[in-house]
Every structure is written in C-alpha cells, then in structure tokens.
Amino acid sequence: MTTEGTQGTHGAQDEPGTPHLDDPRRPGPGAGRSARRAFLGAAAALGAAGTGLGLSGTAHAAGADRTGTESSGTDRTEARHGARGLASLPVPTIIGHRGASGYRPEHTLGSYQLALDLGAHIVEAGDLVPTRDGHLVCRHEPEIGGTTDVASHPEFASRRTTKSLDGVATTGWFTEDFTLAELKTLRATERIPANRPHNTLYDGRWEIPTFEEVLRWQDEQTRRRGRQVWIYPELKHPTYFRQLGLGLEERVAKILRRHGKDGRNAPVILQSFEPTSVQRLDRLVGNPLVVLLSGATTRPWDLVTAGDPRTVADLVTRQGLREIARYADGIGPTLDLVIPKDAAGDLTTPTTLVRDAHAAGLILHPYTLRNENPFLPPRFRKGSDPDAYGDVFGLYRAYFATGIDGVFTDQPDTGLLARADFVDGS
C-alpha cells in the first residue's frame, strides 16, 4: 500500500459490452449497499453501546453479512458455521500484506503461498497495475526498478524514464511501458534488502504474476486446503491509469465476472486509496469494498485532480465516514489514524475512529504491522539492528484493544500468535 486517491472517464474506454458508469438505467451490483450499510450501522451502534471499544463490540460491526444477518454474540472471534461473505471471517482478521512479505519478495506466488501456509485469514494478492497491452499484473507500484531485476536487462535500458506519478516525479521502469510477455522475462527481487537481507536469497526465483493467475491459484488452494481462500487486491493509482487510457475498474470487473467472483459473497475484497475508484467499483461489482486512508493531512489523488479540497482528516469525520458507508463496506486506515504518535514516534491516545467507523457500519482493517525495529515506535524496539525484531506483540495488543476488525501484517504467523494471545486474554 502507498498513499494515493475524481475518477473521470477522460482518456479511457469502458470494456466492450460493459454499460457506461453514468448510464442511469444501469442498476449496478452495489445498488442495495445503502440499505445494508444502514443495518450495519445500527448493529455497530448497539455493539459499541454495550462494550465500548473491546473485541466484542467490533464483532457487531464486522459480524453482519451483506444480507442483513447479524452474527451471534457467542461467535465473535471465529467464523460462524454456514456464514458467507465478510461474516465468514474471524475477528480480528489477520491479512498477509503482499503475502508473507516479511519472509519472501512481495507480490510473488511464493509470498502468497507462504502467507497461507502460515495461516493468514486473507492474502493481499495483489496490488494491480496494467501492462501496455492491457493485462493486470501484481506489483506494489507501476515503477518496477525496486522490485524486479529489470535494471539487469540491457534490452530494456532505454525504457528507463521519469514520469509524474500522482504529482511526484518518479524515475524508473513502468509496467505500462511493457507488454505482458516482456514482463514475464523479469524476476522479482526484495524491495527493502537493508531490513530483510534474508529475503534476497529468493531474488530471481519468481516471476510477476497476473491477476488471472492469482485467481486460478486461489481456486487451486481452496480445493487443496478444503476451505475458502480469500484475497484482497488493491487498485493502484486509478486516476493516473485512466488518464493513460488504461482504466483499472472495468478491467478488474471483467476479470472477476469471467471467474464468477463479482458477487457480494465472493472471497475477493477490493480496495483503493481513491474514493471515486471505489465508487466506480460499487457500480460494477458486488464485492466487499474498502477505502484506504493515508495520513490525516494527505489528499487522495482523485480529489486533487478534481479540485476537491478535502483531506483524509475530512474523510474520517463522522459525516465523512457515513458518506463512505454509502458505497463501501470498510476502511483501511494507516495505523496512525487509529493511535496517533507523538513527536518522538511513540503511541499516544487512540482516536475515536474505530467507534465512529463502526457506528457508520464500516469495518476497519488498518495497515501495516511489521516485526523489524525501524517500523516500530521507539519504546517497542530492541537494540538498533535494522533487521532485528522488537516487541511487536506489545504493539499488536495496543491496536487490538482499540477494537479494530483486523490488520495487515508482513509476518502473518506473528499476527496470528498475537491474535491468539488477545482472544485468550493472555
């Protein structure tokens, strides 16, 4: 995840056979979302009234499915028998961030596979960006110089360029300048070797997966494991790509329809930092939808390009959250929106975001917990080694205690142990 964010139609065409988003005759798969949001908001308010910010209050918000059926209070931390959709997920949910990226190069089938093997409830597979010929592939960013071996390919040296990516000058190689066949000649590498030198052992082992390959992998793993495997793809820089004529939402919807995974109970949660991208998805698919939120003072890029002055701080007000709940099922805030840090980087007092989001009927899946010292508040660090682990279990306890419904983590096994401690009251 990175910070991103009006999603226009300039420079892009809808997929053939797809009704235009602005066609008033098009009902849209998300047409019933508002009524469901109203029910979830009432359920969340009841939970908050009875339990405050504890885990059981969270379950009232996350434990109501898209048909308006609330989970029973005795099954708050585990999936209900026979439940479907979001209600089938344990709370708090452990989400493998880009797979098990603490142990394998991110957004590779190796990283996704390990996340499942470690027990992650959901795998973030993957961050979706397009190729020049319109395929969707899984990379953290369209710039791939830091996550592949492209720099060692002399045949692609001339492709290195500088572009303005959401207003930031970015130099490197970009997926939209490559065909899928060309990208398949590259291999993934570790993005942060200074913090994860052990991951460099796997540099060059895996290729860049496509979204369709991930969906087939999901089906294969579901059959093999005898349980439904969930994925949590993110649409990256939607406004940027729409301006290039490579609109993401229509492509994602078409692929999901092809694989029968575009319904409200489908095991695919879609997310984006751009609210208007999520609104567009709401018109195209019935899947659970999440709006990602960066720092309070930042502005989603779609709002910037539309001249909308709102910041993330405006989006997380009670009014802003109620508006999000009209077209989305949840939010994915940065952890600092849940518990801010002081000038020294240490945790302060939790905000009211969890309570306010639950009152609006939204689930919260904040990002990202990591084990290594540089990613922890100072008082949770142990020593100064950038690759050493600190007291991340203490940090999990602090965030779980706020009532969040789940969390993205680079080390799913650590997250699951911390979750077990919290649920058991250890």
Side-chain angles (χ1 to χ4, degrees), residues 150-161:
V150 64
S152 66
H153 285 251
E155 68 272 25
F156 298 137
S158 63
R159 307 274 179 98
R160 190 172 187 268
T161 187

Side-chain angles (χ1 to χ4, degrees), residues 114-359:
L114 184 59
L116 283 186
D117 291 344
L118 293 175
H121 301 133
I122 310 177
V123 180
E124 190 193 26
D127 289 340
L128 303 179
V129 292
T131 66
R132 188 173 69 194
D133 47 350
H135 295 275
L136 293 178
V137 296
C138 302
R139 286 292 84 194
H140 172 47
E141 289 288 340
E143 198 292 298
I144 56 175
T147 60
T148 73
D149 60 359
V150 64
S152 66
H153 285 251
E155 68 272 25
F156 298 137
S158 63
R159 307 274 179 98
R160 190 172 187 268
T161 187
T162 298
K163 299 189 180 189
S164 178
L165 185 60
D166 290 2
V168 178
T170 305
T171 299
W173 291 262
F174 296 80
T175 60
E176 67 268 23
D177 296 330
F178 291 78
T179 65
L180 178 60
E182 289 172 332
L183 286 179
K184 283 295 188 179
T185 67
L186 308 180
R187 292 296 179 267
T189 58
E190 171 55 36
R191 184 176 62 87
I192 46 174
N195 303 114
R196 293 166 182 170
H198 47 284
N199 282 10
T200 62
L201 171 65
Y202 306 101
D203 284 357
R205 190 174 187 90
W206 291 289
E207 61 183 32
I208 298 173
T210 69
F211 186 35
E212 295 216 61
E213 288 170 342
V214 166
L215 292 173
R216 290 193 289 269
W217 168 84
Q218 179 188 24
D219 289 340
E220 175 193 359
Q221 292 301 310
T222 295
R223 289 191 298 269
R224 179 179 299 178
R225 296 169 187 271
R227 65 174 180 86
Q228 181 61 63
V229 168
W230 280 71
I231 61 172
Y232 211 138
E234 178 189 342
L235 281 66
K236 304 293 292 193
H237 305 284
T239 294
Y240 168 80
F241 284 118
R242 185 164 295 278
Q243 291 171 339
L244 295 177
L246 293 168
L248 298 179
E249 296 86 357
E250 295 82 6
R251 286 173 167 81
V252 169
K254 185 177 181 179
I255 292 172
L256 289 175
R257 286 195 298 270
R258 184 183 303 148
H259 289 261
K261 296 182 180 180
D262 59 335
R264 69 187 185 206
N265 289 320
V268 181
I269 305 172
L270 300 173
Q271 57 180 334
S272 175
F273 277 97
E274 300 190 13
T276 55
S277 178
V278 179
Q279 292 172 25
R280 184 175 291 272
L281 287 168
D282 184 40
R283 298 288 302 275
L284 290 168
V285 297
N287 299 68
L289 303 176
V290 168
V291 177
L292 295 166
L293 299 164
S294 189
T297 62
T298 64
R299 293 171 64 198
W301 186 245
D302 58 337
L303 302 190
V304 172
T305 60
D308 187 328
R310 288 179 298 168
T311 65
V312 167
D314 297 309
L315 299 181
V316 298
T317 62
R318 292 179 182 178
Q319 179 181 346
L321 292 168
R322 286 194 296 267
E323 180 179 337
I324 289 174
R326 294 173 58 192
Y327 57 85
D329 301 271
I331 57 173
T334 180
L335 289 166
D336 288 352
L337 292 176
V338 179
I339 307 180
K341 295 185 178 73
D342 60 21
D346 279 315
L347 300 184
T348 61
T349 303
T351 68
T352 63
L353 179 59
V354 175
R355 182 186 67 201
D356 294 342
H358 284 168

